[in-house]
Amino acid sequence: MKQGFTIVRNIGFSIAYYYKKWGQITKNIAVGLTLVLLYTIFSSCSPLFVKQFDMARSEAATTIVPPLSTRGSAIIDAKNRVVLLRGVNWFGIEQIHHVPHGLWVRSYKDMLAQMKSLGYNVIRLPYSVQALRSRDISGVDFYIGANKDFQAKTPIEVMDMIIQEAQRQGLFILLDSHTLKDDKIPELWYGDGFTEKDWIDTWTFLAKRYKNQSNVIGADLKNEPHGSASWGTGDRATDWRLAAERAGNEILSVNPKWLILVEGVVGNVPGQKQPIYAWGANLEGVLKYPVRLKVPKKLVYSPHEYAASHLPWVKEPILPGNLYKRLEIGFHYIATQGIAPIWIGEFGGNQVDTKSKEGIWQRQFVDYVDKKKLSFTYWCWNPNSKDTGGILLDDWKSINTDKQKLLNQVLR
């Protein structure tokens, strides 16, 4: 290896000499020859160099090119290549501050750069309808780095700037209608003083606004339908499947490039096999009552999964076989049968150890995501999610190394 560097050094001296004599033409030839010689010498001396070179070349060759669509159980990009979206939820716009949280500590550009550096490629960005109709933001230190960009800006203008910066840093955005009113997740897609029209109009507004923003790849129509929400009942007031069709088709009529993500319900599915689900996890109804969109190859189903202590699969011994069976019945049969792709919109928890029930569950669930090659957005980036914690620790800078180490299994 040392001999190789000596050869390159001598070649470099020769190039410098002739460049002084012959100028720009020699410079161009010399640069090309040097690159060829470097690769030849290093590859003969170090197999590791060859491996790293090929890995970098492979990574560059598989850069995701939007818009995205679907093919059977896979999400594919504009070059017809199967892609995996692996990201985090960064919440806050749907709460009283009307901006993603943590901006009282850090610059938003630094936050995005850190997400990217850890291997994530997409952010699920929750919002409330109330926030996007508001003109006020709070919880931002305008004197920290780039945050001064947000002075005198409205919530939607802040969203614009975060999306634009995410694109500069190579991150995709999935928009999530998380709440209607700030801070409160409604059972249905209307309520809390908002109508179905308010909900759909907000979506079509966003679909038009970001139609030419290529890193905005889709719409997660409604966060966690629960309570009276049903699937396949035919009741216009509660049947989430029918509401998803109405909203999805309206969005695609103005922006046919987006993916449409549809979450599950909890209960009220005719003939459902399993009695208890986490919010948004029950997609049993898709088999008999699939969502029908007018634009083909744009539908993705997006369950949420958690290990809350009251749920039976957490109270009992958590075994991979039992977990896999329950998930197959609840949603993964959709991918198994090639009906549509699955994107886990949320999963997470405070514990990732090998002794607590939540930790065991999270580890087995990550194994499942890895084995089934599923897209996901982890809940969450924020440390201030009381029930789950986040990738960041309370200082909003340090990483929860145990969580990140676990997720590295599916970020490689």
Side-chain angles (χ1 to χ4, degrees):
M1 189 69 172
K2 184 176 179 181
Q3 182 181 7
F5 278 111
T6 302
I7 295 169
V8 173
R9 183 192 62 192
N10 293 338
I11 291 169
F13 290 157
S14 298
I15 288 169
Y17 171 77
Y18 285 109
Y19 172 60
K20 287 180 182 178
K21 293 186 66 175
W22 296 341
Q24 186 64 38
I25 294 173
T26 301
K27 179 183 177 183
N28 293 339
I29 296 170
V31 169
L33 286 170
T34 301
L35 290 173
V36 172
L37 285 164
L38 280 169
Y39 179 75
T40 303
I41 293 163
F42 288 164
S43 63
S44 65
C45 300
S46 172
L48 178 61
F49 176 84
V50 178
K51 183 178 179 182
Q52 290 175 338
F53 180 88
D54 289 341
M55 285 175 63
R57 181 173 58 188
S58 174
E59 184 179 350
T62 57
T63 301
I64 298 171
V65 179
L68 306 182
S69 55
T70 70
R71 184 179 65 218
S73 62
I75 298 173
I76 60 173
D77 74 356
K79 293 191 174 182
N80 208 36
R81 299 173 301 195
V82 174
V83 300
L84 289 173
L85 288 308
R86 264 72 190 275
V88 290
N89 286 266
W90 186 16
F91 70 78
I93 298 178
E94 82 289 7
Q95 298 191 4
I96 58 172
H97 299 98
H98 295 167
V99 297
H101 284 176
L103 302 184
W104 51 82
V105 176
R106 294 180 65 187
S107 155
Y108 75 101
K109 292 183 179 180
D110 290 345
M111 203 90 79
L112 292 170
Q114 189 176 24
M115 293 177 196
K116 180 69 175 179
S117 73
L118 292 172
Y120 301 107
N121 61 11
V122 62
I123 301 166
R124 182 172 178 259
L125 195 61
Y127 70 84
S128 70
V129 173
Q130 182 178 353
L132 299 190
R133 294 182 172 197
S134 171
R135 300 198 61 80
D136 302 316
I137 65 171
S138 62
V140 182
D141 187 334
F142 296 114
Y143 300 98
I144 297 175
N147 288 350
K148 62 184 178 181
D149 296 348
F150 295 156
Q151 281 188 298
K153 296 295 191 293
T154 64
I156 188 62
E157 290 170 336
V158 169
M159 182 183 277
D160 292 343
M161 297 174 77
I162 287 171
I163 288 171
Q164 290 160 11
E165 181 60 26
Q167 183 166 39
R168 281 190 286 272
Q169 299 207 28
L171 289 162
F172 293 107
I173 298 288
L174 172 69
L175 296 176
D176 157 41
S177 184
H178 208 75
T179 65
L180 299 170
K181 184 179 180 181
D182 293 345
D183 294 317
K184 182 182 177 184
I185 300 173
E187 291 185 4
L188 302 171
W189 52 96
Y190 60 91
D192 296 333
F194 295 91
T195 65
E196 177 178 304
K197 185 176 186 301
D198 293 328
W199 170 63
I200 292 179
D201 284 351
T202 302
W203 268 126
T204 55
F205 163 76
L206 292 170
K208 291 173 185 175
R209 190 177 188 90
Y210 299 127
K211 187 173 183 178
N212 297 316
Q213 189 75 43
S214 62
N215 68 318
V216 181
I217 57 173
D220 189 341
L221 295 180
K222 189 249 179 291
N223 183 63
E224 297 179 347
H226 61 279
S228 61
S230 64
W231 191 296
T233 61
D235 183 348
R236 186 182 175 93
T238 65
D239 193 327
W240 165 233
R241 173 249 197 169
L242 298 179
E245 290 177 350
R246 294 192 292 272
N249 284 324
E250 286 292 334
I251 291 168
L252 292 171
S253 72
V254 298
N255 186 347
K257 295 178 181 179
W258 277 7
L259 296 176
I260 301 297
L261 273 66
V262 180
E263 299 182 25
V265 292
V266 176
N268 307 314
V269 178
Q272 78 178 58
K273 299 174 183 177
Q274 298 182 142
I276 301 176
Y277 282 92
W279 284 10
N282 183 356
L283 284 162
E284 286 192 36
V286 170
L287 186 61
K288 290 184 177 179
Y289 308 100
V291 172
R292 300 156 298 184
L293 298 178
K294 294 177 181 177
V295 178
K297 303 183 185 303
K298 291 295 178 180
L299 175 63
V300 176
Y301 291 101
S302 186
H304 292 185
E305 278 290 338
Y306 286 101
S309 60
H310 69 281
L311 297 171
W313 56 89
V314 180
K315 288 182 178 180
E316 298 168 0
I318 303 170
L319 302 173
N322 295 340
L323 177 67
Y324 284 26
K325 181 180 177 182
R326 189 179 66 79
L327 298 178
E328 186 68 21
I329 293 170
F331 65 79
H332 194 267
Y333 73 91
I334 295 168
T336 300
Q337 297 183 26
I339 297 169
I342 293 293
W343 176 333
I344 309 296
E346 293 182 18
F347 77 96
N350 282 301
Q351 306 301 323
V352 294
D353 61 292
T354 58
K355 295 182 179 180
S356 71
K357 293 205 170 197
E358 184 180 64
I360 294 168
W361 180 90
Q362 276 213 78
R363 287 179 172 276
Q364 291 189 8
F365 192 77
V366 169
D367 288 343
Y368 185 84
V369 167
D370 190 25
K371 181 179 179 182
K372 300 296 185 181
K373 305 302 178 194
L374 301 178
S375 292
F376 71 84
T377 33
Y378 189 76
W379 189 275
C380 56
W381 181 248
N382 309 46
N384 60 333
S385 176
K386 251 192 317 188
D387 294 333
T388 66
I391 298 298
L392 292 183
L393 298 178
D394 288 342
D395 64 0
W396 284 94
K397 297 176 183 178
S398 305
I399 298 297
N400 184 320
T401 53
D402 291 336
K403 283 190 178 183
Q404 186 61 37
K405 183 178 179 181
L406 175 62
L407 291 174
N408 282 342
Q409 178 180 330
V410 284
L411 293 173
R412 61 179 184 269

